[in-house]
Amino acid sequence: MKVAALIVAAGSGSRMGGGLPKQFRLLAGRPVLLHTVEIFARHPDVASVTVVHAADTEETTRDCLNDIENVGFTIGGKSRAASVALGLTALPSGTTHVLIHDGARCLTCRAVIDGVIAALADSDAAAPALAVTDALWRGEDAQVTGMQSRDGLFRAQTPQGFALAPIRAAHENGTHEAADDVELALGHGIDVTITQGDEDNIKLTYPQDFARAERILKEREQRSMDIRLGNGFDVHRFGEGNHVILCGVEIPFGRGLQGHSDADVGMHAITDAIYGALGQGDIGQHFPPSEAQWKGAASDIFLKHAVELAQDSGFAIGNVDCTLICEQPKIGPRATAMRAKLSEIMGLDIERISVKATTSERLGFTGREEGIAALATATLVKS
Ligand SMILES: Nc1ccn([C@@H]2O[C@H](COP(=O)(O)OP(=O)(O)OP(=O)(O)O)[C@@H](O)[C@H]2O)c(=O)n1
Ligand SMILES: C[C@](O)(CO)[C@H](O)COP(=O)(O)O
């Protein structure tokens, strides 16, 4: 499937009023059309973006999309349907499917687009909508004149997705007065699957819609600023042995660290920092020492589990920082190898991983070389 996005932005915004067409006005400091196009340009399954503009707004359209690479441009027509029909003839060759979207719907989201693309695997047409939930009246002269059943009624949104050949044929044979592309598809005998719409996927139509859109963007920004911080601390005592394992790296040493698992004190502290940031307890809770199966276990099992839990909860790991506290062995020469090992286990860029060490100036149990302590910090960012 090679999916193209076709963004129609050739309207004059007569209901919005006030001069500059709505798609070029600023929303949160950036042109509406830029918000819209960015969503599709960043979508990994969208191979190309083509924007349909009015004959006299080509320069304005190109200017406001200056920062986005590989956008195609073409001239639209007198109605929305005419603009779509012209746009459909300007898509890159090889396109098999098209998502037709209003330039004025600048708040659509990944989930809505994903829903349409997924439905296109089994259907020639799919479009998002929301069921009507309010009671519906008929009215005249500010008087209610009757009721209208809301059963089976939906509010149509975009992007509306189609296999390219059938929707092209529908446009070639259809009317330029159609409200949307679903209407044309139905008229051409194409079955259309309804996918999940989104309340925030509004079309800027009237002046008050701008204030609503600003509120939605602000809420999204606040949600995306969800950053969590966690810490972890662990200690293991020295016992018999000929090596220690620290942050996944085996270091030959005159003694070993004792523990139920492989006693990797650094990796345990990092794992607990991630659990802590998630508010999900600690290693002991997820891998009880009372369970024989974890005896001698390599600690990367614990770390991988914490990383997966973070991902499943919608968080990406921002960075981790681990400090090992010991007189010996010397950590400095092995810190890069430890970071590389952690990077491999966590699937995290090495630049986001820090391992460092300190002595405790020969004070306390670490100073007396009775064991090694580690503390760690992790940040998680809502993704
Ligand atoms: N000849 C047209 C008319 C509309 N559109 C686009 O179709 C989308 C949905 O249309 P609508 O909200 O009706 O936009 P306008 O036609 O600009 O608004 P109005 O009807 O208030 O004039 C908009 O992104 C608009 O730019 C288009 O590409 N070509
Ligand atoms: C395509 C559309 O956005 C679906 O809801 C809508 O029909 C276009 O809006 P218009 O105001 O009718 O041009």
Side-chain angles (χ1 to χ4, degrees):
M1 199 187 271
K2 191 170 173 194
V3 182
L6 182 64
I7 313 290
V8 283
S12 60
S14 56
R15 283 170 290 179
M16 187 63 73
L20 189 66
K22 57 194 178 188
Q23 57 271 34
F24 306 121
R25 293 202 201 157
L26 299 187
L27 177 69
R30 308 161 77 227
V32 165
L33 190 58
L34 179 57
H35 286 277
T36 310
V37 170
E38 232 172 36
I39 300 165
F40 289 88
R42 284 184 182 160
H43 195 292
D45 299 332
V46 173
S48 67
V49 180
T50 300
V51 175
V52 184
H53 54 80
D56 57 352
T57 58
E58 175 161 1
E59 208 181 318
T60 318
T61 307
R62 284 180 184 269
D63 278 357
C64 80
L65 300 176
N66 216 6
D67 291 340
I68 305 186
E69 281 171 23
N70 299 327
V71 176
F73 297 91
T74 193
I75 294 178
K78 281 200 164 58
S79 66
R80 182 188 185 281
S83 291
V84 174
L86 289 163
L88 287 174
T89 66
L91 298 177
S93 65
T95 298
T96 61
H97 291 79
V98 60
L99 302 177
I100 304 171
H101 187 69
D102 296 328
R105 266 185 216 273
C106 54
L107 298 172
T108 197
C109 64
R110 184 77 191 264
V112 168
I113 298 172
D114 288 348
V116 175
I117 293 177
L120 286 177
D122 303 314
S123 171
D124 270 355
L130 291 170
V132 172
T133 51
D134 295 322
L136 292 178
W137 305 330
R138 277 187 297 279
E140 223 177 289
D141 299 331
Q143 295 293 309
V144 177
T145 56
M147 301 303 292
Q148 173 73 48
S149 167
R150 74 191 103 158
D151 286 354
L153 292 188
F154 289 85
R155 292 183 281 143
Q157 299 189 339
T158 69
Q160 299 180 350
F162 304 92
L164 185 57
I167 193 64
R168 266 188 179 151
H171 270 273
E172 279 160 17
N173 298 306
T175 159
H176 283 175
E177 304 313 317
D180 65 5
D181 305 288
V182 165
E183 184 182 336
L184 281 158
L186 288 179
H188 199 66
I190 303 169
D191 291 334
V192 182
T193 303
I194 300 175
T195 62
Q196 184 60 47
D198 184 87
E199 280 298 346
D200 291 348
N201 184 16
I202 60 171
K203 180 164 71 67
L204 299 179
T205 305
Y206 293 103
Q208 59 270 29
D209 294 334
F210 264 84
R212 188 172 165 205
E214 295 263 4
R215 277 200 304 276
I216 293 168
L217 279 179
K218 209 163 264 167
E219 275 169 27
R220 283 185 180 175
E221 196 182 313
Q222 278 162 1
R223 259 184 272 147
S224 73
M225 298 268 286
D226 190 350
I227 296 171
R228 310 282 174 96
L229 184 68
N231 64 56
F233 179 74
D234 196 27
V235 173
H236 282 272
R237 75 167 64 236
F238 281 124
E240 284 187 5
N242 58 12
H243 69 274
V244 294
I245 298 174
L246 294 173
C247 295
V249 172
E250 188 174 311
I251 303 169
F253 195 60
R255 284 172 292 166
L257 286 171
Q258 294 182 335
H260 188 66
S261 65
D262 65 3
D264 188 335
V265 63
M267 209 179 284
H268 294 178
I270 293 170
T271 304
D272 269 354
I274 297 170
Y275 286 138
L278 291 168
Q280 293 273 1
D282 58 17
I283 298 184
Q285 186 179 315
H286 295 279
F287 300 92
S290 53
E291 290 179 8
Q293 56 180 319
W294 310 122
K295 180 136 187 64
S299 296
D300 58 352
I301 298 173
F302 312 145
L303 183 56
K304 278 184 185 147
H305 177 264
V307 170
E308 278 166 22
L309 196 59
Q311 284 163 353
D312 293 347
S313 311
F315 285 93
I317 296 177
N319 73 304
V320 294
D321 181 19
C322 177
T323 302
L324 297 161
I325 306 164
C326 56
E327 304 291 330
Q328 287 197 67
K330 291 292 163 225
I331 303 301
R334 285 137 176 152
T336 304
M338 292 178 185
R339 292 171 66 215
K341 188 70 191 172
L342 292 169
S343 164
E344 182 193 318
I345 295 167
M346 300 173 74
L348 185 66
D349 190 354
I350 193 166
E351 301 300 318
R352 293 175 182 269
I353 298 171
S354 153
V355 175
K356 56 197 192 309
T358 184
T359 69
S360 55
E361 299 286 332
R362 300 232 157 256
L363 296 170
F365 69 89
T366 50
R368 292 190 296 274
E369 299 191 31
E370 293 167 4
I372 297 181
L375 57 92
T377 309
T379 55
L380 304 187
V381 185
K382 195 85 183 175
S383 50

